[in-house]
Amino acid sequence: MIELKNVCSGYGGRTILQDISVSFPQRSVTVLLGSNGCGKSTLLKTALGLVPASSGAILYDGQEIRHMSLRAIAQKAAYLSQARNIPNITAGRMVLHGRFPYLSYPRHYSRADREIVRQALERTGSLDLGDRQMSELSGGQRQKIYISMALAQQAQTIFMDEPTTYLDVRHQLDTMRIAREVAQAGAAVVLVLHDLSLALRFGDQIAVLDQGRLAQLGTPEEVFASGVLDRVFDVRVCRMETEDGWHYYCQT
């Protein structure tokens, strides 16, 4: 499990995250919520060591990240960034990149590596896309390939920065369904989202950031009941009960 204890971090001498303490348990989907610029993406990058913490501790299964190699970190945590270039390779080759933390250079993929990739593509329903060029795929299809790459990395924790952005409703739901299934299979999944409805519907744990501080941490029910979302987003968050459970929506 990855834990942040009293962590502060930022860029260029400017502190963005202040005294953040949060853990990301296995078999759980944690969603980071907050207004633009509140530090959600910075939190992901800090947890991965991409942005150094100025104080506090980041622990991977009890070991401080500053004592770990980049390769060791990559074997425990996968990261799907918000902005990604579209390489001129096939989708299958893209997913093979998930095996990099386990290979020396020059890289030679074993039969086991290729089987792991096949299983990852199968889990995201993308097995038929393996031979197609990344540039030929739709945004939703590419997102499934990137998630497949993260699955092929076989990390205990998967961080995704705004994975539903620019996707249509069907692919948004597909992405959240995959995140839920991956968590149920044993991983910790951490998502930055802007859609409050998706976050409260699919998240097990909600972390609300406000101006770089952790304003609330709890279950969707606890966060909704606290009223913190109304204050942070300056909207009224409402809900209605359906056959599938609570569905959330916003009013101004």
Side-chain angles (χ1 to χ4, degrees), residues 23-33 176 179-191 193 197-207 217-224 248:
S23 61
F24 307 117
Q26 307 301 125
R27 301 183 182 277
S28 178
V29 175
T30 299
V31 180
L32 306 183
L33 292 177
M176 297 307 297
R180 163 66 58 202
E181 290 174 354
V182 170
Q184 290 174 343
V189 179
V190 186
L191 309 172
L193 293 179
S197 177
L198 287 177
L200 295 169
R201 178 178 173 185
F202 288 95
D204 298 302
Q205 175 177 253
I206 308 295
L217 179 68
T219 65
E221 175 69 27
E222 291 167 342
V223 169
F224 171 78
Y248 297 83

Side-chain angles (χ1 to χ4, degrees), residues 95 115-125 148-149 151-152:
V95 180
E115 175 58 19
I116 289 168
V117 165
R118 188 197 67 79
Q119 291 176 7
L121 287 166
E122 188 172 50
R123 287 179 69 182
T124 62
S148 298
M149 181 177 65
L151 295 179

Side-chain angles (χ1 to χ4, degrees), residues 169-190:
V169 173
R170 171 61 185 274
H171 283 101
Q172 288 180 26
L173 292 174
D174 281 349
T175 298
M176 297 307 297
R177 174 186 56 79
I178 293 169
R180 163 66 58 202
E181 290 174 354
V182 170
Q184 290 174 343
V189 179
V190 186

Side-chain angles (χ1 to χ4, degrees), residues 122-162:
E122 188 172 50
R123 287 179 69 182
T124 62
S126 307
L127 201 54
D128 60 328
L129 302 177
D131 293 329
R132 293 179 59 183
Q133 292 290 318
M134 289 291 291
S135 58
E136 297 175 357
L137 304 181
S138 69
Q141 289 172 327
R142 282 198 298 270
Q143 190 65 286
K144 289 183 178 181
I145 295 303
Y146 291 128
I147 294 174
S148 298
M149 181 177 65
L151 295 179
Q153 196 169 326
Q154 294 187 314
Q156 299 171 345
T157 303
I158 299 177
F159 293 100
M160 304 185 197
D161 195 351
E162 299 189 33

Side-chain angles (χ1 to χ4, degrees), residues 5-103:
K5 295 186 175 182
N6 306 112
V7 167
C8 297
S9 72
Y11 306 89
R14 183 170 69 93
T15 299
I16 295 176
L17 296 180
Q18 303 180 60
D19 198 30
I20 299 293
S21 293
V22 62
S23 61
F24 307 117
Q26 307 301 125
R27 301 183 182 277
S28 178
V29 175
T30 299
V31 180
L32 306 183
L33 292 177
S35 58
N36 290 335
C38 71
K40 301 183 297 296
S41 296
T42 302
L43 194 156
L44 293 193
K45 293 176 182 178
T46 302
L48 288 155
L50 301 176
V51 173
S54 56
S55 62
I58 302 168
L59 306 176
Y60 279 53
D61 296 328
Q63 182 181 10
E64 287 204 30
I65 192 174
R66 60 192 177 91
H67 298 312
M68 299 172 63
S69 67
L70 293 177
R71 183 171 182 172
I73 293 170
Q75 290 177 357
K76 289 183 175 290
Y79 175 47
L80 275 67
S81 62
Q82 182 179 358
R84 292 181 292 271
N85 294 326
I86 303 173
N88 186 28
I89 59 176
T90 66
R93 178 65 62 174
M94 187 78 238
V95 180
L96 275 168
H97 287 189
R99 302 305 300 156
F100 282 7
Y102 304 94
L103 303 173

